[in-house]
Structure formats: structure tokens, C-alpha cells
Amino acid sequence: MDIRRTILWMIFSFSLLLLWNNWQIHNGNPSLFGGPPAASSNEPAAAQQPGAGGQAATPSVPTSPAPAASTVPGATPAPAAAKAQQVVVTTDVLRLTFDTTGAQLVRAELLKYPTAGQANKPTVLLDRSPEMTYVVQSGLVGAPDGQSFPNHQTPFRLVSTDHELTGDNLQVIFEAESGGLTVTKTYTLHRGRYDIDVQHALANTTDAALSPSLYLQLERDGNDPADTSSFYHTFTGVAVYSEQEKFQKITFSDIAKNKGDYVKQADNGWLAIVQHYFATAWVPPQGKPRTNELLQVQPNLYAARSIEAVGAVQPGATAQVDSHLWVGPQDQKAMGALAPGLELVVDYGWLTIIAKPLFSLLTWLHSLLGNWGWAIVALTVIIKAVFFPLAAASYRSMARMKQVAPRLQALKEKYGDDRQKLNQAMMEMYRTEKINPLGGCLPMVVQIPVFIALYWVLLASVEMRGAPWILWVHDLSVRDPYFILPAIMMATMFLQIKLNPTPPDPIQAKVMMIMPLVFGGMMFFFPAGLVLYWCVNNTLSIAQQWTITRNLERKTAAAANK
């Protein structure tokens, strides 16, 4: 019984720890489990200057196959920036704003994903405003001394005329000439898709060979998204993928401290900036050596870029570099099809091995039922069925414990404060009656990894965002607005405790009665989908436990009558 009490105290202490951690995050303090608190927006004004760009204090790009460093233009706006024009194009899923200075992508609205609490306003993922800096840039470096190739500060002119998708594809074409190199930058957008084909066509107009290097850059401030929760932390930062090291996450604070650990030389993979539910990613040409750079370009402004040597472009010759850009939700299927490993931006934590199959099963159930809430209910039934043999054995053990409860009380009265003799007598009775005193804890212990994995599935999967269930539950990714599901969960936990045998230890009995309040308090801040899972799980457990207990009582009564 000492072991059982220890386990209960551990669960109770862990619950209190989670509550305290959520309170710390809510008050802007660091999480006890790592990760920064919500970032402050009171950063120096320079971080929000329009047209900001990164400047690395490093040598020029060499003409070797794998560039070692960059001289990407810095934070000083280009002289022609005042003449820049905004070009807005629209597809069925995206509204994009380009700046003719550098042909940068400076605003992206996701038309199929409304802002939280504002159904008529699309989510703004990219923007360049006093409140937010998050843009996509590219350009050429490596020009002869005293010159510069077209980069993200060079004035481009718009060549294309279409601004709205009418067919399956829409091309947005910009052109600029500098340093004897003419660059035509073409963005190709597709119907119903968030991946964009980006082509850089280079033409050498001089009488000497040129050796440019292409950089693909994502620039973002270090602030958390506007809809960041105060009670749980999700990763916002940079991700780098390569075949050598696979998926690597780097926080903005580590970049600022030059402590980021990532692959710097590669000929494969991609780089991305990740936030809750959404991501942007550059996928450079595969099989060509390149350099990855992550750096702080201004206070609270960071750049993630890849730099690739194009090679020698002879006089009058041309060259072409084809890349891919993702701007949109963390759609695992579509991202995985775009580049190997890109679906890993959906971060399920250390239980990914359990979370991924759960998500696949949940997605399949949704395809059948058409509602994510009912898919969660169906998934809970399936999980319960899988654990049925173990749970049934545990409930039978608890039912027998309930039957011998009077004898346990008698032993307690007999031995009084002599705990050693009391424990010996109890263990002897357990052996005689073939009862496992820890059997009642096994279902909870076994389900904890599944519970945590499902928590991350419901928290990180963009499919849950804005997904309704029934009546008052309009969004399974946020907490229950009226706290009805947490209240139901607490009630079902109390009922479960009443069905269990009363522990002979008064302290243990008090801990058991407090547990529903602790877990219920935690669920007030958790996604409604997760609480729905727990409510259905508890209800099925009560039905199963009640049935097993009744059957055992009938068998015992029949044996006594014989």
C-alpha cells in the first residue's frame, strides 16, 4: 500500500506542477519545461523599420560550389524605396502583396483561415507594418567590386498584368537589371495550393563572365503570434532540415546568442520559420551545395537564409534557378509532398511515434464522419477497445478490492498504529484473494503517453483550428467557452472514484478526492477536443467498471448461495 500511495502522490504532485507551470506562463515567466515566455513587443523601433534587411559582417561570397558566407544587403533602405509600389494578387486561398523593391513578398493573407474570433477577417501570416515584420526575400550577391546584382533592395518592375487567378495557375513576374545581370523573378501560384514555384532567370549582359550566388531569405521579428495562448507554449522559431541531421529547431533567442545548432553546409533539405498552425519555408534546388545562415540582423529581427552559387554565367548566356516557397497552414500531406521532411514542422514533441499514427487514424475517421468532434469520440472508443483487456483485469482487481474493504478496515482496527504488521497482514490477504493492489493504477499509467500524444495532436494540428463539434463547442482547438466539458470531466472522475474501493489510508483517500479538482482545473485551459476525449474515456470507463463490478457481485452471490 505504501507503493500505491507513492504513485498517487506522484500523480498529484505532477498535476500541481502542471498547474503552476501554466500560471507561470500566463504571467509572462519562462516555462518550467523550457521555452521562452510570450515575447514582449516593446523592442527598439528599428526592428520594425520597413524595408529592413539582414547584414552579415562576413566576407564576400566565394565562387566555390558551396558558399561559406554572405554579403546580403543590410538594413539601410534602398535609395529608390520611396518609389516602390505594392502589387496585390489573389488566388482562391491566398491574397499576396508584393513590393516592387526587391520583388519581396511583404504580406500574405490566408483566405480559408479566419482570424481567431473574427470569422470575416482572414489570418495574416506575413506582413510589414509597425506591429509586425515577417517577409520573404531573395536576391543575387557576388558582384564585382563597386557593383551589385539585383537583390531585395533593388527596384524591380512588374512585367505580368494578371492580378487574379482565373485558371489553374497565376504568374507574377518582376524584372530588374544591375551590375550587368538581368534577373527575371517569376512567382507561379496554383489553385487550391499554398506552395509557390519561384524561378530566378539570369542573363549576363556584359562582356565578361559573372559568378553570382542566389540567396533565399525569410525575415521575421522575434515576437510570438498575436493569438498565442497564455496557458501553453508552442514553438515559434526557425527549423532547418537536412539528410545529415534531419529536423532541427532553433529559437530566436539562441540565434541572438549565436548558440543555434544547425547544419550550415548541405546540398539538400530546406529551412522554415514555424509558428502555431502556420509556416513559411524555402525549398532550394536539391543536390546543389549551399550554405545555411541564421542570424540576428537588428534587435528583435532575425533572418534565415540559404545561399547557393549559381556558377559562371558567360557573356550573353543565361542561367535559371528553380525553388519552391511555402506560405500557409501546416498541412502535413501537402508539405510532405513538396519536400521530404517538411511535414515535420508539425511538432508533436517527444511522443511523435505515437502521435503520428493517432493523427492518421483521426484523419481517416474524419473522412468517414465529416466532423472532427465525432472523430475524436470514435477515436476514444477505438483506444478504449485496444486497452480493454488490461482495463478489464484492473477493474476486476478493483472490484475485488471493494469486496474486501470491510476486512481491510477490520485489519486496520486490529493492528492500530503498527503499520508494519498491518501491511504484512494486508499483503497476505491480497495473495490469498489474488488481488493486485496496484491494478487500479495501471489503466491511468498506460494511458498517460496516449493522452500526452493526443494532446499534441489536438494542439498542433491546424485541422482542429476552428473545427466545431456540437452546440456550444465551435472550436475544438481552444478551451470550452462555458467550461461545460471540464465540469463533466470532474463529475465523471468523482463517479469513478466512488465506484472504486475506499483506500484504508485516510491521506490516500483525501488525495483521491482532490484529484478530480486538480485535473478538472487543468482542463479549464486545455483545448476542448482534448477534454472531449477525456470525458468520453471516463464515461466508457465508468460503464465498463460498473458492468464488471455487477457481474463479479452476481458471481459472488451465486457462489454464496450454493
Side-chain angles (χ1 to χ4, degrees):
M1 293 303 293
D2 287 338
I3 297 176
R4 183 174 181 177
R5 184 166 63 181
T6 300
I7 292 175
L8 288 172
W9 272 115
M10 289 174 61
I11 296 174
F12 180 66
S13 301
F14 181 68
S15 304
L16 291 178
L17 183 63
L18 288 178
L19 278 175
W20 176 251
N21 180 65
N22 286 339
W23 179 253
Q24 290 289 92
I25 296 175
H26 176 65
N27 285 281
N29 298 317
S31 169
L32 300 176
F33 305 108
S40 170
S41 60
N42 297 324
E43 297 290 345
Q48 307 296 340
Q49 291 287 342
Q55 181 176 12
T58 49
S60 300
V61 178
T63 58
S64 61
S70 71
T71 52
V72 176
T76 303
K83 301 178 182 180
Q85 298 178 350
Q86 303 286 298
V87 179
V88 180
V89 299
T90 305
T91 72
D92 57 327
V93 296
L94 290 169
R95 184 184 296 118
L96 304 179
T97 301
F98 295 90
D99 193 323
T100 55
T101 298
Q104 304 177 58
L105 178 54
V106 296
R107 184 176 173 88
E109 300 171 70
L110 311 183
L111 303 181
K112 300 295 185 181
Y113 291 87
T115 300
Q118 302 181 59
N120 297 324
K121 182 180 178 182
T123 292
V124 177
L125 179 58
L126 302 177
D127 199 13
R128 188 172 64 190
S129 66
E131 294 78 26
M132 176 182 177
T133 299
Y134 190 1
V135 296
V136 176
Q137 303 165 333
S138 64
L140 282 300
V141 292
D145 291 342
Q147 301 185 53
S148 65
F149 292 144
N151 53 56
H152 71 272
Q153 292 184 351
T154 302
F156 278 68
R157 67 183 183 89
L158 179 66
V159 177
S160 57
T161 57
D162 294 333
H163 292 251
E164 188 168 348
L165 178 70
T166 55
D168 291 332
N169 301 310
L170 172 65
Q171 287 192 332
V172 187
I173 306 173
F174 298 90
E175 187 176 87
E177 192 280 331
S178 180
L181 194 66
T182 299
V183 175
T184 304
K185 188 185 301 188
T186 304
Y187 295 89
T188 303
L189 288 71
H190 309 278
R191 180 174 297 277
R193 287 163 52 179
Y194 295 93
D195 59 298
I196 303 170
D197 300 328
V198 184
Q199 180 188 93
H200 292 81
L202 287 60
N204 185 351
T205 60
T206 70
D207 56 1
L210 299 175
S211 298
S213 291
L214 172 69
Y215 66 88
L216 306 173
Q217 178 166 285
L218 303 171
E219 193 174 76
R220 190 190 191 282
D221 59 43
N223 299 333
D224 279 341
D227 60 350
T228 297
S229 171
S230 299
F231 290 98
Y232 51 80
H233 177 77
T234 55
F235 176 75
T236 299
V238 179
V240 177
Y241 182 88
S242 65
E243 290 297 330
Q244 303 96 297
E245 299 295 336
K246 303 302 180 183
F247 184 71
Q248 296 175 291
K249 293 192 303 183
I250 306 94
T251 64
F252 291 128
S253 61
D254 281 346
I255 294 174
K257 300 172 185 175
N258 293 319
K259 293 172 58 179
D261 181 18
Y262 61 95
V263 167
K264 296 177 176 60
Q265 303 291 332
D267 64 357
N268 60 82
W270 44 264
L271 56 83
I273 291 182
V274 182
Q275 65 187 58
H276 196 200
Y277 294 133
F278 305 105
T280 56
W282 272 116
V283 183
Q286 304 297 291
K288 296 184 178 180
R290 61 176 177 270
T291 297
N292 295 322
E293 289 185 345
L294 308 181
L295 66 159
Q296 183 178 26
V297 295
Q298 287 183 0
N300 196 41
L301 187 65
Y302 305 89
R305 65 171 75 116
S306 73
I307 310 167
E308 172 189 318
V310 177
V313 183
Q314 299 300 323
T318 61
Q320 178 177 306
V321 181
D322 296 318
S323 308
H324 300 285
L325 172 66
W326 179 275
V327 180
Q330 295 176 2
D331 183 332
Q332 297 182 54
K333 184 177 180 180
M335 297 184 86
L338 181 63
L342 191 55
E343 74 281 359
L344 295 177
V345 297
V346 183
D347 186 15
Y348 290 142
W350 57 279
L351 285 172
T352 297
I353 192 172
I354 301 176
K356 276 191 168 295
L358 283 177
F359 176 76
S360 298
L361 179 56
L362 188 64
T363 303
W364 178 74
L365 290 170
H366 176 261
S367 69
L368 298 178
L369 301 173
N371 181 284
W372 286 106
W374 292 118
I376 292 172
V377 173
L379 178 64
T380 309
V381 174
I382 293 173
I383 292 174
K384 198 66 180 174
V386 170
F387 288 128
F388 178 83
L390 177 61
S394 299
Y395 292 146
R396 281 193 289 269
S397 176
M398 286 191 292
R400 286 195 289 267
M401 283 281 293
K402 193 169 185 178
Q403 288 181 335
V404 300
R407 293 166 59 185
L408 289 174
Q409 185 62 31
L411 289 175
K412 184 178 179 181
E413 294 174 357
K414 178 179 178 180
Y415 292 104
D417 295 333
D418 192 338
R419 300 195 59 83
Q420 183 175 358
K421 289 185 178 181
L422 174 61
N423 287 335
Q424 290 176 349
M426 289 168 60
M427 292 302 166
E428 181 62 29
M429 186 183 68
Y430 292 151
R431 282 192 293 270
T432 303
E433 299 294 336
K434 298 181 180 179
I435 296 174
N436 180 7
L438 298 178
C441 299
L442 289 178
M444 180 177 291
V445 173
V446 171
Q447 288 183 65
I448 284 177
V450 177
F451 172 78
I452 296 175
L454 187 59
Y455 165 78
W456 282 110
V457 167
L458 299 178
L459 184 65
S461 299
V462 71
E463 291 80 0
M464 299 296 129
R465 188 178 186 270
W469 179 40
I470 58 172
L471 301 176
W472 74 98
V473 180
H474 303 295
D475 189 346
L476 290 166
S477 68
V478 300
R479 64 186 184 183
D480 185 330
Y482 302 111
F483 307 113
I484 296 175
L485 288 175
I488 294 174
M489 178 189 164
M490 284 192 287
T492 54
M493 286 192 71
F494 273 118
L495 186 53
Q496 275 189 291
I497 290 173
K498 290 299 183 181
L499 289 175
N500 293 338
T502 302
D505 188 337
I507 297 179
Q508 188 176 332
K510 291 179 180 178
V511 170
M512 292 294 290
M513 293 304 295
I514 294 175
M515 290 277 286
L517 296 176
V518 174
F519 274 93
M522 290 167 53
M523 293 302 156
F524 273 69
F525 312 113
F526 281 10
L530 185 72
V531 188
L532 174 61
Y533 159 77
W534 207 251
C535 288
V536 176
N537 180 77
N538 284 356
T539 302
L540 294 175
S541 298
I542 290 170
Q544 185 180 5
Q545 187 174 353
W546 183 82
T547 302
I548 291 174
T549 301
R550 287 291 301 273
N551 290 339
L552 187 60
E553 289 175 351
R554 289 172 182 173
K555 290 180 180 179
T556 303
N561 292 334
K562 290 181 180 180

